[in-house]
Amino acid sequence: MISLALGKLEVDWGKNSFYSDHGALFQSNDFKPIPYYYAGDKWPEDDPIVEMEEGLAKPLCQVKDRLELLGYTLKSIEHSYEKLHQFHDMEEHPIPFSELKDALFKVDVSTVNGNYGDDFGPGEFVREEILERLALISEQHHYHNSDLKPDHWEIDLLLENFGANNGLRLLAENPLNLQLDVSWGFTPLIESGWATKENFTPGPSEMQRFLIVTEGSSDAKIIQKALELLRPHVSDFFKFVDMEEGYPFSGTGNLFRFTQGLVSIGIQNNVIILYDNDAEGVAKLAKTLELNLPINLRAIKLPQLADFEKFPTEGPTGESEANINRKAASIECYLDLAFGNLPSPIVRWSSYNSEANCYQGELLHKTQYMRTFLSFDEIPHNYDISKLNQVLESILNECIRIAETKQIESVVTR
């Protein structure tokens, strides 16, 4: 047997060569001893025998973020739930999605004892083992398909086809469940010869990952480092252009032309095009959004922040405070510019951008700010990460929208 569980609650299971691949929920550092539950002589009356063997495990609070990047958002889950009703030809909804979500929200998985029976027919496992735990009532409904018995239990079979990822994401709505481990136990399959450890590779597939393409190499280096330090539990979802041989897309013009090329060839990979929050970036983003972008390609710019509305600047008329949003905010502006003995931040106005109808500015000493950040093995306690967090949230939100849209479309076309 092989099972995926939240605490002691099994959410998916398989046998021999028939099982689902849940590797995308985990990372390579998640291999660890996890509990396996075996039947004793008096099972299921007595507690199961527990043995610690190798598997993959990650807290649900981190798995939740990975599920969202795989497209399992509340919006896509509701869509999937509605499509299941249509697939089973149900006229009536036995339980509205809002009630199912509320019921799962109330589940404290830590109270589940893990004593399950076996040899259930379709829908029986949910009815006998899950519904009472979820405080749900299953009702009998007639099917239009005469081949199915009129006493078939709709919600039971519906939930058994609901999908482990959908269930985990809804269970993550309850804060009491977030620190419980999601574990994938596959050792019995390996020991019995049905699989090898290489069959259980953690991490997203190539088509589930996101290519982040920026205006310059410094943007890519800073964002990649920020993901490693601030979002390590999802950092493997992202990849960047190889910069060892020089960055090929420096400047907004090259980045725009690259985007045009991706659109023309119909690229299938997930791509985020990221412009700076400055005059050139704003102008090229507007042109990029006029392209017929596919669902797997999104273009954004660095977020506008209130911190940039009164920023030290200098130009032909001297020094003053000005709003550098949409005019001069490069990725370095989102670092902690007041950390340690770094130079005081100031933006120097340079050329006029006719497309944006404003002057373009540049942060002075930005290489020093960047090198300081890239030197960290971990973030110092007194380093301000608030602006970087907003950058990452902006990128993650766009990635989630891509994955969500693809997930919804996949349910329609299955």
Side-chain angles (χ1 to χ4, degrees), residues 209-213 237-241 258 262 267 269-273:
R209 299 176 73 196
F210 300 87
L211 175 65
I212 311 297
V213 189
F237 272 88
F238 304 94
K239 56 182 181 178
F240 297 82
V241 177
F258 175 68
L262 294 181
I267 189 169
N269 301 77
N270 301 322
V271 182
I272 298 292
I273 304 296

Side-chain angles (χ1 to χ4, degrees), residues 214-334:
T214 62
E215 290 186 26
S217 60
S218 61
D219 303 65
K221 289 176 181 177
I222 289 171
I223 293 169
Q224 187 171 17
K225 185 75 171 184
L227 286 166
E228 292 170 358
L229 294 177
L230 302 177
R231 303 289 191 280
H233 63 291
V234 295
S235 60
D236 56 324
F237 272 88
F238 304 94
K239 56 182 181 178
F240 297 82
V241 177
D242 186 357
M243 293 169 285
E244 293 301 320
E245 301 299 326
Y247 195 76
F249 310 122
S250 294
T252 56
N254 287 334
L255 183 54
F256 175 72
R257 285 187 287 275
F258 175 68
T259 307
Q260 286 179 305
L262 294 181
V263 173
S264 67
I265 65 174
I267 189 169
Q268 298 300 303
N269 301 77
N270 301 322
V271 182
I272 298 292
I273 304 296
L274 180 64
Y275 290 101
D276 285 345
N277 177 22
D278 60 13
E280 291 182 0
V282 168
K284 281 299 185 289
L285 174 62
K287 290 186 64 176
T288 303
L289 294 178
E290 293 174 359
L291 302 174
N292 186 23
L293 299 179
I295 63 171
N296 57 302
L297 194 157
R298 286 182 176 265
I300 60 174
K301 67 174 181 64
L302 294 173
Q304 294 182 207
L305 301 182
D307 289 353
F308 297 154
E309 292 177 1
K310 292 184 178 181
F311 200 93
T313 67
E314 66 176 24
T317 58
E319 296 186 1
S320 63
E321 287 188 339
N323 187 347
I324 64 169
N325 281 308
R326 304 173 64 87
K327 298 175 183 178
S330 62
I331 186 64
E332 292 85 2
C333 293
Y334 296 80

Side-chain angles (χ1 to χ4, degrees), residues 67-327:
L67 285 168
E68 295 247 314
L69 286 166
L70 292 169
Y72 294 94
T73 64
L74 295 180
K75 179 180 178 180
S76 73
I77 293 171
E78 181 172 9
H79 176 82
S80 178
Y81 186 69
E82 297 299 324
K83 287 297 176 181
L84 275 175
H85 285 91
Q86 296 176 24
F87 179 78
H88 288 291
D89 196 23
M90 297 178 182
E91 273 192 354
E92 301 177 62
H93 289 190
I95 295 182
F97 179 75
S98 59
E99 291 185 23
L100 174 65
K101 184 177 70 171
D102 290 344
L104 287 171
F105 173 79
K106 297 174 184 176
V107 176
D108 179 0
V109 175
S110 64
T111 63
V112 173
N113 61 25
N115 285 2
Y116 299 116
D118 57 4
D119 297 326
F120 294 107
E124 292 179 3
F125 178 83
V126 170
R127 181 167 72 251
E128 298 296 332
E129 300 288 349
I130 299 297
L131 289 179
E132 184 176 350
R133 289 182 169 92
L134 302 187
L136 297 174
I137 298 174
S138 185
E139 298 180 359
Q140 295 174 322
H141 293 268
H142 288 273
Y143 271 75
H144 297 293
N145 187 336
S146 59
D147 294 335
L148 294 175
K149 296 179 180 179
D151 62 347
H152 189 77
W153 296 81
E154 289 189 347
I155 187 61
D156 311 346
L157 189 60
L158 188 69
L159 287 181
E160 288 214 347
N161 287 278
F162 190 49
N165 287 345
N166 288 331
L168 280 175
R169 178 61 188 83
L170 290 183
L171 288 168
E173 289 296 287
N174 187 340
L176 295 175
N177 298 328
L178 290 177
Q179 297 309 313
L180 292 174
D181 271 351
V182 176
S183 59
W184 195 24
F186 45 75
T187 291
L189 257 65
I190 296 175
E191 292 179 343
S192 60
W194 284 97
T196 65
K197 188 174 179 178
E198 287 68 32
N199 294 122
F200 306 102
T201 303
S205 69
E206 189 64 24
M207 295 304 294
Q208 291 169 332
R209 299 176 73 196
F210 300 87
L211 175 65
I212 311 297
V213 189
T214 62
E215 290 186 26
S217 60
S218 61
D219 303 65
K221 289 176 181 177
I222 289 171
I223 293 169
Q224 187 171 17
K225 185 75 171 184
L227 286 166
E228 292 170 358
L229 294 177
L230 302 177
R231 303 289 191 280
H233 63 291
V234 295
S235 60
D236 56 324
F237 272 88
F238 304 94
K239 56 182 181 178
F240 297 82
V241 177
D242 186 357
M243 293 169 285
E244 293 301 320
E245 301 299 326
Y247 195 76
F249 310 122
S250 294
T252 56
N254 287 334
L255 183 54
F256 175 72
R257 285 187 287 275
F258 175 68
T259 307
Q260 286 179 305
L262 294 181
V263 173
S264 67
I265 65 174
I267 189 169
Q268 298 300 303
N269 301 77
N270 301 322
V271 182
I272 298 292
I273 304 296
L274 180 64
Y275 290 101
D276 285 345
N277 177 22
D278 60 13
E280 291 182 0
V282 168
K284 281 299 185 289
L285 174 62
K287 290 186 64 176
T288 303
L289 294 178
E290 293 174 359
L291 302 174
N292 186 23
L293 299 179
I295 63 171
N296 57 302
L297 194 157
R298 286 182 176 265
I300 60 174
K301 67 174 181 64
L302 294 173
Q304 294 182 207
L305 301 182
D307 289 353
F308 297 154
E309 292 177 1
K310 292 184 178 181
F311 200 93
T313 67
E314 66 176 24
T317 58
E319 296 186 1
S320 63
E321 287 188 339
N323 187 347
I324 64 169
N325 281 308
R326 304 173 64 87
K327 298 175 183 178

